[in-house]
Amino acid sequence: MKKYIFLSIILFIGFSCKGNEPDPTPKPPENNITSLKQAPFPIGAAVNVDALKNDNEYRQLLIDEVTSVTPENAMKMYALSSGRGVYTWDDADYLVNFALENNMRVHGHTLIWYHSNGWWIENTFSGTKEEWIAVMREYIQDVVTHFKSKVTAWDVVNEAFNDDGTYRPSIWYDNIGEEYIELAFRFAHEADPDAVLFYNDYGQEYSFNKIQAINTMVDTLLAKNVPIHGIGLQMHMNINSSETKINYAVNSARNLIVHISELDVSVNTENNPDATFNDELAQLQKNVYKYATEAMLNVNEDLRYGITFWGITDKYSWRSSAPDWVLPFDADFNKKPAYDGMLEVFNQ
Ligand code: XIL
């Protein structure tokens, strides 16, 4: 009997050990990603709707590479509204449908921006403070309601501060006062309580005054229970942008959700009309893309909204005053070192 028990134990140990033998087909480490679509947070692009309609290669690149889209211009006030209560949704709807068909998140940009008001409101509207508040409410709520349940989040207010931290003049600031910001967030939230609401601005990576102004505003809004959930850092940078300052800027969003919302990195810093792109510049650019990626990766998982490029290919970029190569894909849709740099960050 003892002999059988002994044998059973030996057999049992034998089988258990076999179960622990290494799997002969090695699997790649879990973090060995080969496409930005596999990144641990959404990677997005600002989308040019004309190109989306007319350039199949561009369309396919977006499908292959991004999980989030922001309309570059199609949801700006001048693009959506040609008069009070008069709307043209076609381009914005086209983009939203494209995104949803391809399982992409849609980031709404932007409800209130001094630079993109409709012509009619800049030039034909006048009224008391209450009338300005009413027209702002109407606009925000019409737009947010139209895209409700399709658009995940909104840049509710864009670029409210100057670089020195003072409020930037605009029809909204001039007619309503700084309260316009608080009201814009409340109105957007009323129209879609599920939407994630962002304040978006540029220059946090070089202007400490702007960071302070934003933080003071956010603290004041939160103390009044204003529904503000996230901070967008545009990060239109160049090859000299500092890693320390990029980190500082991303961390300055503190306990709100963080979005690097318009990333691009200029290599032609002097706007030289005869500039050309070369390997050395590509490497410097790659470094800055890596800094931004690392900074976002270090954000607490719950607060990482992701990184959106302002475009995707150098074929279509808003930085066109001089030749430049600001995006992670070149004009022929090939990956640049910047792209590989981001993968390196995720795979390290
Ligand atoms: C830019 C677009 O890329 C251009 O096509 C347009 O002519 C002007 O606006 N900050 C923003 C974006 O929040 O909306 C801007 O987009 C770039 C700067």
Side-chain angles (χ1 to χ4, degrees):
M1 184 64 185
K2 265 189 187 159
K3 208 162 89 190
Y4 288 117
I5 294 175
F6 180 71
L7 255 179
S8 321
I9 292 172
I10 295 291
L11 277 174
F12 175 75
I13 293 173
F15 279 118
S16 317
C17 288
K18 197 159 193 305
N20 287 339
E21 267 171 25
D23 185 340
T25 48
K27 294 191 184 74
E30 228 166 78
N31 63 346
N32 193 4
I33 66 165
T34 52
S35 150
L36 288 183
K37 266 191 130 169
Q38 302 157 332
F41 47 76
I43 299 287
V47 174
N48 171 326
V49 177
D50 275 345
L52 182 66
K53 286 179 178 168
N54 299 311
D55 185 338
N56 273 330
E57 256 183 296
Y58 171 79
R59 188 186 182 91
Q60 193 56 47
L61 185 68
L62 292 169
I63 294 172
D64 293 343
E65 298 293 344
V66 304
T67 49
S68 177
V69 291
T70 301
E72 182 173 2
N73 291 309
M75 285 186 194
K76 289 175 181 168
M77 189 182 193
Y78 70 82
L80 290 180
S81 173
S82 56
R84 188 169 187 171
V86 184
Y87 298 97
T88 313
W89 307 111
D90 301 1
D91 277 1
D93 282 348
Y94 182 90
L95 172 58
V96 168
N97 291 336
F98 163 78
L100 298 183
E101 275 163 21
N102 290 288
N103 299 317
M104 295 166 181
R105 176 182 73 185
V106 185
H107 182 80
H109 174 82
T110 170
L111 294 169
I112 298 292
W113 184 28
Y114 79 96
H115 201 253
S116 64
N117 294 313
W119 184 90
W120 63 274
I121 197 154
E122 289 268 2
N123 297 289
T124 66
F125 187 78
S126 66
T128 61
K129 176 175 172 178
E130 280 59 44
E131 286 162 340
W132 275 95
I133 292 174
V135 81
M136 183 174 81
R137 178 186 210 143
E138 210 174 282
Y139 174 75
I140 290 176
Q141 298 200 331
D142 285 351
V143 172
V144 172
T145 303
H146 179 83
F147 295 108
K148 194 172 172 169
S149 81
K150 295 179 176 165
V151 165
T152 305
W154 284 99
D155 290 333
V156 177
V157 176
N158 194 28
E159 302 181 0
F161 295 104
N162 296 307
D163 280 359
D164 65 3
T166 55
Y167 279 97
R168 188 193 288 279
S170 72
I171 52 170
W172 308 109
Y173 180 75
D174 300 345
N175 290 293
I176 301 174
E178 59 185 72
E179 200 191 343
Y180 86 90
I181 299 177
E182 161 180 351
L183 291 170
F185 278 90
R186 290 194 193 280
F187 296 157
H189 186 69
E190 270 171 24
D192 184 357
D194 294 329
V196 185
L197 304 183
F198 281 85
Y199 173 76
N200 193 53
D201 212 328
Y202 70 89
Q204 292 96 326
E205 73 284 3
Y206 64 77
S207 169
F208 183 63
N209 286 334
K210 201 175 260 188
I211 291 183
Q212 276 191 315
I214 294 170
N215 283 346
T216 306
M217 173 194 73
V218 167
D219 290 344
T220 313
L221 296 182
L222 290 175
K224 292 180 175 179
N225 286 322
V226 175
I228 175 169
H229 312 117
I231 296 295
L233 300 102
Q234 296 183 11
M235 296 208 153
H236 295 291
M237 302 197 282
N238 65 56
I239 48 174
N240 301 318
S241 297
S242 129
E243 180 175 16
T244 315
K245 289 185 178 174
I246 292 170
N247 275 319
Y248 188 84
V250 170
N251 288 323
S252 73
R254 300 177 300 179
N255 291 325
L256 293 188
I257 297 170
V258 194
H259 184 199
I260 294 182
S261 55
E262 306 187 13
L263 180 62
D264 56 14
V265 179
S266 164
V267 300
N268 186 2
T269 52
E270 308 288 327
N271 286 331
N272 172 2
D274 304 317
T276 52
F277 193 53
N278 59 38
D279 287 350
E280 193 193 331
L281 291 171
Q283 290 305 318
L284 295 172
Q285 180 180 56
K286 169 182 177 176
N287 291 340
V288 179
Y289 270 91
K290 286 181 81 168
Y291 302 152
T293 309
E294 228 145 37
M296 180 57 71
L297 196 56
N298 288 333
V299 169
N300 186 320
E301 218 173 308
D302 310 341
L303 302 176
R304 277 192 318 222
Y305 187 77
I307 296 182
T308 298
F309 308 124
W310 206 243
I312 182 128
T313 150
D314 290 335
K315 185 170 180 185
Y316 305 107
S317 163
W318 72 302
R319 301 232 207 166
S320 54
S321 57
D324 214 332
W325 299 264
V326 301
L327 288 159
F329 285 82
D330 70 17
D332 297 320
F333 305 97
N334 298 311
K335 288 172 185 161
K336 288 162 64 182
Y339 184 101
D340 300 325
M342 293 180 72
L343 288 185
E344 281 167 24
V345 171
F346 294 126
N347 289 330
Q348 72 203 354

Tab-separated table of all heavy atoms in Angstrom, residues 72-73 76 109 113 158-159 234 236 262 310 318, ligand 1:
chain	number	residue	atom	x	y	z
A	72	GLU	N	-10.458	69.327	-37.275
A	72	GLU	CA	-9.496	70.447	-37.257
A	72	GLU	C	-10.241	71.782	-37.293
A	72	GLU	O	-9.883	72.706	-36.566
A	72	GLU	CB	-8.529	70.344	-38.442
A	72	GLU	CG	-7.491	71.446	-38.431
A	72	GLU	CD	-6.408	71.269	-39.490
A	72	GLU	OE1	-6.475	70.295	-40.283
A	72	GLU	OE2	-5.495	72.105	-39.519
A	73	ASN	N	-11.270	71.865	-38.128
A	73	ASN	CA	-12.040	73.111	-38.240
A	73	ASN	C	-13.551	72.902	-38.268
A	73	ASN	O	-14.303	73.834	-38.032
A	73	ASN	CB	-11.628	73.871	-39.513
A	73	ASN	CG	-10.209	74.408	-39.412
A	73	ASN	OD1	-9.848	75.066	-38.431
A	73	ASN	ND2	-9.383	74.124	-40.402
A	76	LYS	N	-15.905	74.295	-35.558
A	76	LYS	CA	-15.738	75.664	-35.064
A	76	LYS	C	-17.003	76.455	-35.389
A	76	LYS	O	-17.738	76.121	-36.330
A	76	LYS	CB	-14.489	76.288	-35.678
A	76	LYS	CG	-13.229	75.645	-35.085
A	76	LYS	CD	-11.946	76.107	-35.720
A	76	LYS	CE	-10.772	75.376	-35.073
A	76	LYS	NZ	-9.512	75.566	-35.817
A	109	HIS	N	-14.226	70.029	-30.883
A	109	HIS	CA	-13.331	71.187	-30.810
A	109	HIS	C	-13.882	72.265	-31.706
A	109	HIS	O	-14.014	72.015	-32.891
A	109	HIS	CB	-11.926	70.755	-31.260
A	109	HIS	CG	-10.946	71.869	-31.365
A	109	HIS	ND1	-10.278	72.358	-30.271
A	109	HIS	CD2	-10.514	72.612	-32.427
A	109	HIS	CE1	-9.448	73.328	-30.658
A	109	HIS	NE2	-9.575	73.505	-31.960
A	113	TRP	N	-14.217	79.929	-28.838
A	113	TRP	CA	-12.829	80.340	-29.125
A	113	TRP	C	-12.880	81.721	-29.757
A	113	TRP	O	-13.584	81.901	-30.768
A	113	TRP	CB	-12.167	79.330	-30.071
A	113	TRP	CG	-10.722	79.596	-30.353
A	113	TRP	CD1	-9.830	80.226	-29.519
A	113	TRP	CD2	-9.989	79.259	-31.535
A	113	TRP	NE1	-8.579	80.279	-30.103
A	113	TRP	CE2	-8.652	79.699	-31.350
A	113	TRP	CE3	-10.321	78.625	-32.728
A	113	TRP	CZ2	-7.661	79.529	-32.312
A	113	TRP	CZ3	-9.326	78.448	-33.687
A	113	TRP	CH2	-8.007	78.883	-33.481
A	158	ASN	N	-11.530	77.657	-25.438
A	158	ASN	CA	-10.191	77.527	-26.006
A	158	ASN	C	-9.469	78.867	-25.875
A	158	ASN	O	-10.039	79.913	-26.216
A	158	ASN	CB	-10.343	77.148	-27.491
A	158	ASN	CG	-9.066	76.656	-28.134
A	158	ASN	OD1	-8.191	76.107	-27.469
A	158	ASN	ND2	-8.958	76.840	-29.447
A	159	GLU	N	-8.250	78.835	-25.355
A	159	GLU	CA	-7.353	80.004	-25.371
A	159	GLU	C	-7.954	81.259	-24.742
A	159	GLU	O	-7.984	82.324	-25.365
A	159	GLU	CB	-6.909	80.288	-26.811
A	159	GLU	CG	-6.209	79.099	-27.453
A	159	GLU	CD	-5.746	79.370	-28.892
A	159	GLU	OE1	-5.959	80.481	-29.409
A	159	GLU	OE2	-5.155	78.449	-29.489
A	234	GLN	N	-2.262	72.137	-25.878
A	234	GLN	CA	-2.121	71.998	-27.332
A	234	GLN	C	-0.751	71.444	-27.710
A	234	GLN	O	-0.634	70.561	-28.530
A	234	GLN	CB	-2.355	73.349	-28.013
A	234	GLN	CG	-3.770	73.880	-27.822
A	234	GLN	CD	-4.004	75.185	-28.568
A	234	GLN	OE1	-3.184	75.610	-29.386
A	234	GLN	NE2	-5.123	75.820	-28.290
A	236	HIS	N	1.886	72.849	-29.461
A	236	HIS	CA	2.490	73.135	-30.773
A	236	HIS	C	3.942	73.512	-30.464
A	236	HIS	O	4.210	74.624	-30.023
A	236	HIS	CB	1.766	74.289	-31.466
A	236	HIS	CG	0.352	73.960	-31.814
A	236	HIS	ND1	0.035	73.036	-32.785
A	236	HIS	CD2	-0.821	74.394	-31.309
A	236	HIS	CE1	-1.287	72.934	-32.876
A	236	HIS	NE2	-1.824	73.734	-31.983
A	262	GLU	N	-3.051	68.944	-29.350
A	262	GLU	CA	-2.757	69.427	-30.715
A	262	GLU	C	-1.268	69.275	-31.017
A	262	GLU	O	-0.639	70.169	-31.581
A	262	GLU	CB	-3.185	70.901	-30.848
A	262	GLU	CG	-4.634	71.141	-30.467
A	262	GLU	CD	-5.147	72.550	-30.746
A	262	GLU	OE1	-4.467	73.311	-31.457
A	262	GLU	OE2	-6.229	72.873	-30.240
A	310	TRP	N	-1.843	67.385	-34.262
A	310	TRP	CA	-2.631	68.381	-35.014
A	310	TRP	C	-2.428	68.126	-36.504
A	310	TRP	O	-1.730	68.850	-37.206
A	310	TRP	CB	-2.292	69.817	-34.604
A	310	TRP	CG	-3.483	70.706	-34.886
A	310	TRP	CD1	-3.538	71.759	-35.752
A	310	TRP	CD2	-4.792	70.585	-34.313
A	310	TRP	NE1	-4.822	72.295	-35.756
A	310	TRP	CE2	-5.605	71.592	-34.884
A	310	TRP	CE3	-5.385	69.706	-33.384
A	310	TRP	CZ2	-6.949	71.755	-34.550
A	310	TRP	CZ3	-6.718	69.873	-33.063
A	310	TRP	CH2	-7.482	70.887	-33.650
A	318	TRP	N	-1.386	72.729	-40.710
A	318	TRP	CA	-1.739	74.150	-40.652
A	318	TRP	C	-0.511	75.045	-40.614
A	318	TRP	O	-0.597	76.221	-40.860
A	318	TRP	CB	-2.596	74.415	-39.406
A	318	TRP	CG	-1.841	74.363	-38.108
A	318	TRP	CD1	-1.132	73.309	-37.621
A	318	TRP	CD2	-1.717	75.418	-37.155
A	318	TRP	NE1	-0.590	73.634	-36.403
A	318	TRP	CE2	-0.938	74.921	-36.086
A	318	TRP	CE3	-2.214	76.720	-37.078
A	318	TRP	CZ2	-0.622	75.685	-34.963
A	318	TRP	CZ3	-1.905	77.478	-35.954
A	318	TRP	CH2	-1.111	76.962	-34.916
B	1	XIL	C1	-6.133	75.918	-36.802
B	1	XIL	C2	-6.364	75.050	-38.020
B	1	XIL	O1	-5.407	74.033	-38.036
B	1	XIL	C3	-6.265	75.887	-39.277
B	1	XIL	O2	-6.617	75.124	-40.414
B	1	XIL	C4	-7.183	77.111	-39.165
B	1	XIL	O3	-6.983	77.946	-40.281
B	1	XIL	C5	-6.918	77.883	-37.892
B	1	XIL	O4	-7.027	77.006	-36.780
B	1	XIL	N1	-5.121	76.210	-31.846
B	1	XIL	C6	-6.336	75.600	-31.985
B	1	XIL	C7	-6.730	75.068	-33.296
B	1	XIL	O5	-7.044	75.391	-30.984
B	1	XIL	O6	-8.119	75.131	-33.506
B	1	XIL	C8	-6.029	75.788	-34.423
B	1	XIL	O7	-6.350	75.151	-35.649
B	1	XIL	C9	-4.536	75.791	-34.189
B	1	XIL	C10	-4.204	76.497	-32.913
